Amino acid sequence: MLLEAALDDIRPRTSGAPAGYIPELADADPDRLALAVVGPRGRVITAGDDHVEFTIQSMSKPFVLALALQTMGRDSVFGRVGAEPSGEPFNAISLEPGTGRPANPMVNAGAIATTALIAGEDIDQRTARVIEMMSAFAGRSLWVDEAVYRSKSATGDRNRALAHLLKSYGHIAGRVDDVVESYFRQCSVLVTVRDLAVMAATLAFGGRNPVTGDRVVDERVARDVTSIMASCGMYDFSGEWLLRVGLPAKSGVSGGVLAVAPSQFGVAAFSPRLDEHGNSVRASAVVEMLSERFGMHLLEPHESIAEPGVVIEASPGGPIVRLSGELGFAGAERALSLLKEIAASVPDGAEVVVDATALARTHPAAITVMRDEFAQLAPRFRLLE
Amino acid sequence: MLLEAALDDIRPRTSGAPAGYIPELADADPDRLALAVVGPRGRVITAGDDHVEFTIQSMSKPFVLALALQTMGRDSVFGRVGAEPSGEPFNAISLEPGTGRPANPMVNAGAIATTALIAGEDIDQRTARVIEMMSAFAGRSLWVDEAVYRSKSATGDRNRALAHLLKSYGHIAGRVDDVVESYFRQCSVLVTVRDLAVMAATLAFGGRNPVTGDRVVDERVARDVTSIMASCGMYDFSGEWLLRVGLPAKSGVSGGVLAVAPSQFGVAAFSPRLDEHGNSVRASAVVEMLSERFGMHLLEPHESIAEPGVVIEASPGGPIVRLSGELGFAGAERALSLLKEIAASVPDGAEVVVDATALARTHPAAITVMRDEFAQLAPRFRLLE
Amino acid sequence: MLLEAALDDIRPRTSGAPAGYIPELADADPDRLALAVVGPRGRVITAGDDHVEFTIQSMSKPFVLALALQTMGRDSVFGRVGAEPSGEPFNAISLEPGTGRPANPMVNAGAIATTALIAGEDIDQRTARVIEMMSAFAGRSLWVDEAVYRSKSATGDRNRALAHLLKSYGHIAGRVDDVVESYFRQCSVLVTVRDLAVMAATLAFGGRNPVTGDRVVDERVARDVTSIMASCGMYDFSGEWLLRVGLPAKSGVSGGVLAVAPSQFGVAAFSPRLDEHGNSVRASAVVEMLSERFGMHLLEPHESIAEPGVVIEASPGGPIVRLSGELGFAGAERALSLLKEIAASVPDGAEVVVDATALARTHPAAITVMRDEFAQLAPRFRLLE
Amino acid sequence: MLLEAALDDIRPRTSGAPAGYIPELADADPDRLALAVVGPRGRVITAGDDHVEFTIQSMSKPFVLALALQTMGRDSVFGRVGAEPSGEPFNAISLEPGTGRPANPMVNAGAIATTALIAGEDIDQRTARVIEMMSAFAGRSLWVDEAVYRSKSATGDRNRALAHLLKSYGHIAGRVDDVVESYFRQCSVLVTVRDLAVMAATLAFGGRNPVTGDRVVDERVARDVTSIMASCGMYDFSGEWLLRVGLPAKSGVSGGVLAVAPSQFGVAAFSPRLDEHGNSVRASAVVEMLSERFGMHLLEPHESIAEPGVVIEASPGGPIVRLSGELGFAGAERALSLLKEIAASVPDGAEVVVDATALARTHPAAITVMRDEFAQLAPRFRLLE
């Protein structure tokens, strides 16, 4: 209902046009509109044309980056590809002067360089690994749309050009043709908004697919991918997107947009008409609307609400302070302030025992600060962890 | 102790050199090193050379942007200045081809255009307003270092060039010289790391200064400023910074760096030696280290921990479900899952009353989802808010 | 009659529009059309609106370059300003990355840097020197249009920006404001097509004004200025212009074009409507037409026609070959071929005397080659020079 | 002797290094130095290592351009490739934003687009046509160095990238691989300085090979090719080269430079060490020295020396003025001045007959001006042509 209502609000926006460079995209029904959200327990809510399949296109980039990071490590990957937004349109060449290093893994050159990092003896082996990873993110076996792939390959000279440039700078080890065809195949994988939302949710929950329960990539990999999406995911609209929507996201020329609300949900929308940046007009708008309505902007300040329960018991050796529930960063500060008052009131020689063993959860910053402060209050305090 | 330890870890890094373009910066003691953190209750912790004053330089930009947003509104400001990282070095011209609109308010051209938006009949009036705002962020009256200002003005031809270019595109309404001199004065304001950390904390806590308790700017303004810092604050290292450190930040050529952990704390560090991007080597490193140790990376997935207490009472009309404590997004999903089980078990005709009146706090997304789901479960459920 | 006919052919071309950035140019009567040619003896032929005065604008640049070269020397000038076409539109910034050196003296930044090289204690003194030089080129005292100057100064922020950029790179020694105002004044000098054609002719005849007979600049200076006009004079249409027209030229936004046919004539045309490169549509077309009709393209191969008269006299010591008339490069080759035949036919011991004393003129290459060949034929030949 | 002396002057310059990107070039003996000049009668003078063969590399570009212009026409060629210097280094991508049209036929992208215009069903057919044309320019059958070709092909990813970019913009009709391999083969043709000088001389004499006497291309084609060499032939040193040397030229990474003195001679030099623009240090220097010594700078003003002989005969009907010898542009002006004096002295009713039938040669501009002036003096004058 909520999602349906959001689609209804967005439906009248009919500006833009489907991508025209291959017939399969140009022929898409421009009125299609779909939305899906996947929460922490893997519940999937969808609305609109949620059964329509379309090719993943550039939205494959974060997941191939994830595969590269998982298998090659951060240093290998970011030694080959930068992490800076290029400030340039989606079809710019964007290679660093001198080194030829692509600006980031979300522009085509960077994505091709990333695909080139995936091990594989030939196109099929590399493609198999890429699709296996994308399937793990989606929680089901994904397939390539062969007609789209053939069209993309037949018109893919700009991407071939990028690949040969990368090769000329030494950023591709294998055969250029193999890498490019693998890239075209990864872009031609068929998905629905449901798939994309599950894939986004897998990033949102630290690399664990909330539907299947499988760990797909390490938490650090998910964080790195999401960071790159935050700075570079929406082409030369990325800064504006972070300002207005505040969620790491990635769009594709087929009309899809997926976005990640870390620890909260994954969302995806689909509508084929694109704006001048190459982002779907309606899919972008509906994700922005949800972010606004749900208060999901990453930089929205939320009052930190994890304050522990505090019970003070008298004991012969001095008071015992029992902490329970949750301890966030702000909560730690409040607890410390209370402890200092207690410290001021106990007689000389008495010791205050702080029992943190019953805390259900603690924020790492909170416990770090607590320990540090205890070190300063010692020897009057003893912390039981 | 914790901060001291962080400084000790960083102290051996002596690469880089102080900014050389005016004598006042070139003559800074390169060994200075300082750090300050300010939490939600306004507690200030500092370490190192926390008494040393230096000029704020480019770190003034977020606060002048805040003043412009607060007084002119978002549309006025972003009509004049873009929100995209430029992908270019700190001293690039970075004007949009055709329109001459600066890429963003964190590059010099964009900062000058932003200063030009501040109302004022002359240099002094505009400067007074800017310094008043910066003082409100810092929680004390700030002053201009007149020697630095004079040096900056004497060597400021590149910035004058940018201002005349902006004027030629119609992006500056008043006198170019007035605007430029105001800009030089705002950059020459003296601060310590303590000041900068309080300023960062004011952004972190939604525009309310946690030390003075004063609301300085609206929450939305704080969010917008922080968003721009996230995408553009560290020059052409911004993407890499978001990847590695994950905190909105701004650096200045005097050697300062300030960073914002939304709802958690503000942090600032200072050390004069700069790297090739114009960012302080040691100040950057110590902020990165704190972010890592405290787990403060914005895109770090944290398990959402705000789950409500649930008590079910039988009553003649059907069960009453009493929610207490906190209701986050993930918590809402768990609560809904429980409610559906209850719904399946109550006899026909019975009504489930969900009493949310005792909830201490709710996340906006959580309550929105709850209401939406309730609408679908109705008429079996009644929500007391 | 010939020029009138050319104008009649061109008159129907009414595309383009007068420059709009200051009222004085925008208000020009767009139908004005004028043409003037000045030959080696200083004969001036004009047609059309030859009495109309307009401001010289960018057509001042070659003459200020000439003044700088004449007074400062080639190395000083080209140390400050490059000699490369920029490949960029007329209003581009075109400073070399790193050094900030302007691409060439025909783009605005380079022209301002050139003006800055002209000695002068203040605006008036520098302007006086510039106008004195331009007057010497034109053969009459030229004046500034004060209304145009004031408009140009009032709207000159882009040029001020360039000047401050140059200052920031150390390419302007004096006060930026002085240099810019001098530049605006030099652009506001009033001329007719007659004046421009005389100025062009002065360059065509090696720096000697063919009307007044005065040497205005050295031959080398005229050659350097003409070379720069050949590669950079028509903005980002310079390559195309050299291909199609083949004459060093310079245009101005007032609608004038002047062109140089070395050793042949100077030509100028005027019509206010400009094309997208900022060059006058009709003035460019009529100069192109004249170049075509007169066969004046610099790279048109002409059969070299300077062949000496040769008379062979018998004498007791051997033949005497008397050369008369003119000796060009090709002629030298023909003469040498004849001399070798003679050498083959004279008896051993005889000497061939070649009397070159009656040659009216010789091309430097011809005489160099002759001498070199004689050195090889010796001792059979003796050259009387 | 003259050429030997020039080489001796240049020999001590040992800065720079041979091109390193393929072993065949890197291994060239860096001390090689050769020079050749070819005059209008086809006389070839050489000095130094004139027997050494090297690959023609980028010096093939003017001749493939000539073939394209000869077979496709000017509009077809310059519809596909621009005529503007790019202001960029030799390895820049230099495609026009939006259209992807290469800046000019002398940069790699433009040369590849030019090669693509040569008809041919496959690599061999296209290459055969190209080499046939180059052989006609050189006056002997040229061959491909297969080892260099294979190396170039093996490392040619940057050029392949350019070709795919061109294909993506629709600037290549056939198969990309075919075009690129043809291009690599044309660059791998073996030549000596003698060959290059004959090729340059063929351009200098309007497309007629002065050694074989064959017309290779039309005069207009030779003029167009030479014009493009003048503005774009020496990479981003082209403007500086025109300023200092004043001859249309083309260099190649193998260390050759060829230059054209229109109607005077062709010259070529060879020495493998290159400067930072990719031009041979010593070959450039020796061509510059020859231009200077021979006074061959295109923009050197030469006094025009073609003045006709004038004999005045009395006759019953009025004076008869007999012109003989040569009539240049300046000479026409002098003759006209004399005719006007005569006109002023003849009695009313008398007619002046001007007999131009004995003129050996006339410059087209001269005869055009004469006719025009006669039309004005009529009916007193009658011109016998």
Side-chain angles (χ1 to χ4, degrees):
Chain A
M1 297 277 279
L2 185 76
L3 300 193
E4 290 293 356
L7 291 189
D8 289 343
D9 286 352
I10 293 300
R11 206 177 306 270
R13 305 198 190 176
T14 56
S15 63
Y21 73 99
I22 62 171
E24 287 75 9
L25 293 179
D27 292 349
D29 178 350
D31 289 324
R32 296 294 196 189
L33 180 60
L35 178 61
V37 175
V38 176
R41 298 262 162 129
R43 196 166 57 116
V44 180
I45 324 176
T46 65
D49 300 314
D50 55 6
H51 62 286
V52 174
E53 289 191 311
F54 48 92
T55 47
I56 192 167
Q57 302 293 345
S58 288
M59 292 176 291
S60 64
K61 293 169 182 173
F63 306 102
V64 180
L65 173 61
L67 174 56
L69 286 166
Q70 185 71 28
T71 55
M72 306 288 295
R74 192 198 241 192
D75 291 347
S76 286
V77 174
F78 291 110
R80 293 275 181 128
V81 188
E84 288 307 313
S86 68
E88 295 177 307
F90 69 99
N91 58 354
I93 291 178
S94 293
L95 302 185
E96 191 177 62
T99 68
R101 205 174 64 136
N104 65 68
M106 299 294 110
V107 295
N108 287 4
I112 293 169
T114 307
T115 296
L117 289 171
I118 307 305
E121 282 176 20
D122 54 21
I123 304 178
D124 291 341
Q125 206 173 71
R126 185 186 289 110
T127 306
R129 280 181 187 149
V130 164
I131 294 182
E132 186 183 10
M133 174 56 85
M134 285 161 68
S135 298
F137 266 100
R140 73 169 183 102
S141 283
L142 299 176
W143 297 83
V144 167
D145 182 323
E146 294 291 337
V148 170
Y149 161 66
R150 282 191 301 269
S151 266
K152 230 176 141 68
S153 179
T155 60
D157 279 291
R158 188 172 184 89
N159 286 320
R160 265 187 208 95
L162 294 174
H164 281 291
L165 275 178
L166 291 167
K167 178 81 176 175
S168 76
Y169 284 111
H171 296 315
I172 287 184
R175 291 190 60 237
V176 166
D177 285 346
D178 282 7
V179 170
V180 175
E181 298 304 322
S182 290
Y183 175 71
F184 291 150
R185 289 185 76 78
Q186 91 186 36
C187 291
S188 303
V189 160
L190 283 168
V191 288
T192 63
V193 280
R194 189 191 190 283
D195 294 324
L196 292 176
V198 177
M199 296 170 90
T202 302
L203 289 172
F205 301 108
R208 201 185 50 81
N209 184 320
V211 174
T212 64
D214 294 338
R215 169 147 304 283
V216 179
V217 290
D218 293 345
E219 207 165 273
R220 166 57 66 98
V221 167
R223 191 185 97 179
D224 282 356
V225 171
T226 320
S227 297
I228 294 293
M229 291 166 68
S231 57
C232 316
M234 298 296 276
Y235 304 123
D236 57 335
F237 191 72
S238 298
E240 192 91 11
W241 178 270
L242 190 61
L243 176 69
R244 295 188 185 282
V245 184
L247 295 178
K250 187 74 205 77
S251 59
V253 285
S254 48
V257 172
L258 62 87
V260 175
S263 309
Q264 305 285 355
F265 58 71
V267 59
F270 164 66
S271 191
R273 293 194 194 89
L274 308 182
D275 66 17
E276 75 276 18
H277 300 284
N279 298 322
S280 166
V281 173
R282 297 200 291 191
S284 298
V286 78
V287 172
E288 178 172 359
M289 180 181 289
L290 284 189
S291 170
E292 191 67 29
R293 288 194 185 163
F294 283 0
M296 283 298 170
H297 194 294
L298 270 186
L299 298 164
E300 188 82 49
H302 295 294
E303 269 193 78
S304 186
I305 50 181
E307 198 165 349
V310 179
V311 174
I312 304 175
E313 293 175 16
S315 88
I320 298 175
V321 182
R322 297 199 193 280
L323 303 177
S324 63
E326 302 171 347
L327 179 69
F329 188 84
E333 193 170 324
R334 292 177 200 176
L336 281 164
S337 153
L338 178 64
L339 294 177
K340 284 180 186 163
E341 283 173 29
I342 295 168
S345 67
V346 297
D348 279 3
E351 187 192 54
V352 184
V353 172
V354 180
D355 180 359
T357 56
L359 279 171
R361 298 167 197 277
T362 55
H363 187 282
I367 202 70
T368 307
V369 166
M370 285 288 280
R371 275 194 209 114
D372 185 50
E373 293 278 336
F374 270 88
Q376 293 177 48
L377 295 170
R380 305 293 302 278
F381 277 77
R382 188 150 54 89
L383 179 65
L384 305 177
E385 282 185 89
Chain B
M1 297 278 279
L2 186 75
L3 301 193
E4 290 293 357
L7 291 189
D8 288 344
D9 286 352
I10 293 301
R11 206 177 304 273
R13 304 198 191 176
T14 56
S15 63
Y21 74 98
I22 60 172
E24 287 77 7
L25 293 179
D27 292 350
D29 178 350
D31 289 323
R32 295 296 196 188
L33 180 59
L35 178 61
V37 175
V38 176
R41 298 260 162 129
R43 197 165 59 113
V44 181
I45 324 176
T46 65
D49 300 315
D50 56 5
H51 62 287
V52 174
E53 289 192 310
F54 47 93
T55 48
I56 191 167
Q57 302 293 346
S58 287
M59 291 176 291
S60 64
K61 292 169 181 174
F63 306 102
V64 180
L65 173 61
L67 175 55
L69 287 167
Q70 184 71 28
T71 55
M72 305 288 294
R74 194 198 239 191
D75 291 346
S76 287
V77 173
F78 290 110
R80 295 275 181 126
V81 188
E84 288 307 314
S86 68
E88 295 177 306
F90 70 99
N91 58 354
I93 291 177
S94 293
L95 301 185
E96 191 177 61
T99 68
R101 205 173 64 135
N104 65 68
M106 299 294 109
V107 296
N108 287 3
I112 292 169
T114 307
T115 296
L117 288 171
I118 307 306
E121 282 175 21
D122 55 20
I123 305 177
D124 291 341
Q125 207 173 70
R126 183 185 290 110
T127 307
R129 282 182 185 146
V130 165
I131 294 182
E132 186 184 9
M133 175 56 85
M134 287 161 67
S135 298
F137 267 98
R140 73 167 182 102
S141 285
L142 300 176
W143 298 83
V144 167
D145 182 321
E146 294 292 336
V148 170
Y149 161 67
R150 281 190 303 269
S151 266
K152 228 175 142 70
S153 178
T155 60
D157 278 291
R158 188 171 183 90
N159 285 320
R160 265 186 209 97
L162 292 174
H164 281 291
L165 275 177
L166 291 167
K167 178 81 177 176
S168 76
Y169 283 111
H171 297 316
I172 287 184
R175 292 190 59 235
V176 166
D177 284 347
D178 282 7
V179 170
V180 175
E181 297 304 323
S182 289
Y183 174 72
F184 291 149
R185 290 186 75 78
Q186 90 186 37
C187 291
S188 305
V189 160
L190 284 168
V191 289
T192 63
V193 280
R194 188 190 191 284
D195 295 323
L196 291 175
V198 176
M199 296 171 89
T202 302
L203 290 171
F205 300 109
R208 201 184 51 80
N209 184 319
V211 174
T212 64
D214 294 338
R215 169 148 303 282
V216 179
V217 290
D218 293 345
E219 207 165 271
R220 166 57 66 97
V221 166
R223 191 184 97 178
D224 283 357
V225 170
T226 321
S227 298
I228 294 293
M229 291 165 69
S231 56
C232 317
M234 297 297 276
Y235 305 122
D236 57 335
F237 192 71
S238 297
E240 192 91 11
W241 178 269
L242 191 60
L243 176 69
R244 295 188 184 282
V245 184
L247 295 178
K250 187 74 206 79
S251 60
V253 285
S254 48
V257 171
L258 63 87
V260 174
S263 310
Q264 304 285 355
F265 58 71
V267 58
F270 164 68
S271 191
R273 293 192 193 90
L274 308 183
D275 65 18
E276 75 277 19
H277 301 282
N279 298 322
S280 166
V281 172
R282 297 200 290 190
S284 299
V286 77
V287 172
E288 178 172 359
M289 179 181 289
L290 283 189
S291 171
E292 191 68 30
R293 289 194 184 162
F294 283 181
M296 283 298 168
H297 194 293
L298 269 187
L299 298 164
E300 187 82 49
H302 294 294
E303 268 193 79
S304 185
I305 50 179
E307 199 166 348
V310 179
V311 174
I312 304 174
E313 292 175 14
S315 88
I320 298 175
V321 182
R322 297 200 194 280
L323 303 177
S324 62
E326 301 170 349
L327 181 67
F329 187 84
E333 193 172 325
R334 293 175 198 177
L336 281 164
S337 153
L338 178 63
L339 293 177
K340 284 179 186 163
E341 285 172 27
I342 295 168
S345 65
V346 295
D348 280 1
E351 189 193 52
V352 184
V353 172
V354 180
D355 180 359
T357 56
L359 279 171
R361 300 165 196 275
T362 57
H363 187 283
I367 202 68
T368 306
V369 166
M370 286 287 280
R371 275 195 209 115
D372 185 51
E373 295 276 337
F374 270 88
Q376 292 177 51
L377 296 172
R380 304 292 302 280
F381 276 77
R382 190 150 52 89
L383 179 65
L384 304 178
E385 281 186 87
Chain C
M1 297 279 279
L2 184 76
L3 300 194
E4 290 292 355
L7 290 190
D8 289 343
D9 286 352
I10 293 300
R11 206 176 306 271
R13 305 198 190 176
T14 56
S15 63
Y21 74 97
I22 62 171
E24 287 75 9
L25 293 178
D27 292 349
D29 178 350
D31 289 324
R32 297 294 196 188
L33 181 59
L35 179 61
V37 175
V38 176
R41 299 262 161 130
R43 196 166 57 114
V44 180
I45 324 176
T46 66
D49 301 314
D50 55 5
H51 62 287
V52 174
E53 289 191 311
F54 48 92
T55 47
I56 192 167
Q57 302 292 346
S58 288
M59 292 176 290
S60 63
K61 292 168 182 174
F63 306 102
V64 180
L65 173 62
L67 174 55
L69 286 167
Q70 186 70 29
T71 54
M72 306 287 295
R74 194 198 239 193
D75 291 347
S76 287
V77 173
F78 290 110
R80 294 275 181 127
V81 188
E84 289 306 315
S86 68
E88 295 176 306
F90 69 99
N91 59 355
I93 292 178
S94 293
L95 301 185
E96 191 177 63
T99 69
R101 204 174 64 136
N104 65 68
M106 299 293 109
V107 295
N108 288 3
I112 293 169
T114 307
T115 296
L117 288 171
I118 308 305
E121 283 176 19
D122 54 21
I123 305 178
D124 291 341
Q125 206 173 69
R126 184 185 290 110
T127 307
R129 279 180 188 148
V130 165
I131 295 182
E132 185 183 11
M133 175 55 84
M134 286 161 68
S135 298
F137 267 99
R140 74 169 182 100
S141 284
L142 299 176
W143 298 82
V144 167
D145 182 322
E146 294 292 335
V148 170
Y149 161 66
R150 281 190 303 269
S151 267
K152 229 176 142 67
S153 179
T155 60
D157 279 291
R158 188 171 184 90
N159 285 320
R160 266 187 207 95
L162 293 173
H164 281 292
L165 275 177
L166 292 167
K167 178 79 178 178
S168 76
Y169 283 111
H171 296 315
I172 287 184
R175 293 190 58 235
V176 167
D177 285 345
D178 282 7
V179 170
V180 175
E181 298 305 321
S182 290
Y183 175 71
F184 291 150
R185 290 186 76 78
Q186 91 185 36
C187 290
S188 304
V189 160
L190 283 167
V191 288
T192 63
V193 280
R194 187 191 192 284
D195 295 323
L196 291 176
V198 177
M199 296 170 90
T202 303
L203 289 173
F205 301 109
R208 201 185 50 81
N209 184 319
V211 175
T212 64
D214 294 338
R215 169 147 304 282
V216 179
V217 290
D218 293 345
E219 207 165 271
R220 166 56 66 97
V221 167
R223 191 185 98 179
D224 283 357
V225 170
T226 319
S227 297
I228 294 293
M229 291 167 69
S231 56
C232 316
M234 297 297 274
Y235 305 122
D236 56 335
F237 192 72
S238 298
E240 192 90 13
W241 177 270
L242 191 61
L243 176 70
R244 295 188 185 281
V245 185
L247 295 177
K250 187 75 206 77
S251 60
V253 285
S254 49
V257 172
L258 63 86
V260 175
S263 309
Q264 304 285 355
F265 56 72
V267 59
F270 164 67
S271 192
R273 293 193 193 91
L274 308 182
D275 66 16
E276 76 276 17
H277 301 283
N279 298 322
S280 166
V281 173
R282 298 200 290 190
S284 298
V286 78
V287 172
E288 178 172 0
M289 179 181 288
L290 284 189
S291 170
E292 192 68 29
R293 288 194 184 163
F294 283 0
M296 282 299 170
H297 194 294
L298 269 186
L299 298 164
E300 188 80 52
H302 294 294
E303 269 193 77
S304 186
I305 50 180
E307 198 165 349
V310 179
V311 174
I312 305 174
E313 293 177 15
S315 88
I320 298 175
V321 183
R322 298 200 192 278
L323 303 177
S324 64
E326 302 170 349
L327 180 68
F329 187 84
E333 193 171 327
R334 293 175 199 179
L336 281 164
S337 153
L338 179 63
L339 293 178
K340 284 178 186 166
E341 287 173 28
I342 295 169
S345 66
V346 297
D348 280 2
E351 186 192 57
V352 185
V353 172
V354 181
D355 180 359
T357 56
L359 279 172
R361 300 168 195 275
T362 56
H363 187 282
I367 202 69
T368 306
V369 167
M370 286 287 280
R371 275 195 209 115
D372 185 51
E373 295 277 336
F374 270 88
Q376 292 177 51
L377 296 171
R380 304 293 301 278
F381 277 76
R382 187 149 54 90
L383 179 64
L384 305 178
E385 282 186 88
Chain D
M1 299 276 280
L2 185 74
L3 300 193
E4 290 292 358
L7 291 189
D8 289 344
D9 287 352
I10 293 300
R11 207 177 305 271
R13 305 198 191 175
T14 56
S15 63
Y21 73 99
I22 60 172
E24 287 76 6
L25 294 179
D27 292 349
D29 178 349
D31 288 324
R32 296 295 195 187
L33 180 60
L35 178 61
V37 175
V38 176
R41 299 262 162 129
R43 196 167 58 113
V44 181
I45 324 175
T46 65
D49 300 314
D50 54 6
H51 62 287
V52 174
E53 289 191 310
F54 48 94
T55 48
I56 191 167
Q57 302 293 346
S58 289
M59 292 176 291
S60 64
K61 292 169 182 174
F63 306 102
V64 180
L65 173 62
L67 174 56
L69 286 167
Q70 185 70 28
T71 54
M72 306 288 296
R74 193 198 240 193
D75 292 347
S76 287
V77 174
F78 290 110
R80 294 274 181 128
V81 189
E84 289 306 315
S86 68
E88 295 176 307
F90 69 100
N91 59 355
I93 291 177
S94 292
L95 302 185
E96 190 177 62
T99 68
R101 204 173 65 135
N104 65 67
M106 300 293 110
V107 294
N108 287 3
I112 293 168
T114 306
T115 296
L117 288 171
I118 307 306
E121 283 175 20
D122 54 20
I123 304 178
D124 291 341
Q125 207 174 69
R126 184 185 290 110
T127 306
R129 281 182 187 145
V130 164
I131 294 181
E132 185 183 12
M133 175 56 85
M134 285 161 66
S135 298
F137 267 99
R140 74 169 181 102
S141 284
L142 300 176
W143 297 83
V144 167
D145 183 322
E146 294 292 336
V148 169
Y149 161 67
R150 281 191 303 269
S151 267
K152 230 177 141 66
S153 179
T155 61
D157 279 290
R158 188 172 184 89
N159 285 320
R160 266 188 208 97
L162 293 174
H164 281 291
L165 275 177
L166 291 167
K167 178 79 176 177
S168 76
Y169 283 111
H171 296 314
I172 287 183
R175 292 190 59 236
V176 166
D177 284 346
D178 281 9
V179 170
V180 175
E181 298 304 322
S182 290
Y183 175 72
F184 291 149
R185 290 186 76 77
Q186 89 185 38
C187 291
S188 305
V189 160
L190 283 168
V191 290
T192 63
V193 281
R194 189 189 191 285
D195 295 322
L196 292 175
V198 177
M199 296 171 90
T202 302
L203 290 172
F205 300 109
R208 202 185 50 80
N209 184 319
V211 174
T212 64
D214 295 337
R215 170 148 303 282
V216 180
V217 290
D218 293 344
E219 207 164 271
R220 166 57 65 99
V221 167
R223 191 185 97 179
D224 283 358
V225 171
T226 321
S227 297
I228 294 293
M229 292 166 69
S231 55
C232 316
M234 297 297 275
Y235 305 121
D236 57 335
F237 192 70
S238 297
E240 192 91 12
W241 177 270
L242 191 61
L243 176 71
R244 296 189 185 282
V245 184
L247 295 177
K250 187 74 205 80
S251 59
V253 285
S254 48
V257 172
L258 62 87
V260 175
S263 310
Q264 305 285 355
F265 57 71
V267 59
F270 164 66
S271 192
R273 293 192 193 91
L274 309 182
D275 65 18
E276 74 277 18
H277 301 283
N279 298 322
S280 165
V281 173
R282 297 200 290 191
S284 298
V286 77
V287 172
E288 178 173 359
M289 180 181 288
L290 283 189
S291 170
E292 192 67 29
R293 288 193 185 163
F294 282 0
M296 282 299 169
H297 194 293
L298 270 186
L299 297 164
E300 189 81 50
H302 294 295
E303 268 193 78
S304 185
I305 49 180
E307 199 165 349
V310 179
V311 173
I312 304 174
E313 292 176 15
S315 88
I320 297 174
V321 183
R322 297 199 193 279
L323 303 178
S324 63
E326 301 170 349
L327 181 67
F329 187 83
E333 194 172 325
R334 294 176 198 176
L336 280 165
S337 153
L338 178 63
L339 293 177
K340 284 179 186 164
E341 285 173 28
I342 294 168
S345 66
V346 296
D348 280 1
E351 188 191 54
V352 184
V353 172
V354 179
D355 181 0
T357 56
L359 278 172
R361 300 168 195 274
T362 57
H363 187 282
I367 202 69
T368 306
V369 166
M370 286 288 281
R371 277 195 207 113
D372 185 52
E373 295 276 337
F374 270 88
Q376 292 177 49
L377 295 171
R380 303 292 304 279
F381 276 77
R382 189 149 53 88
L383 179 64
L384 303 178
E385 282 186 89

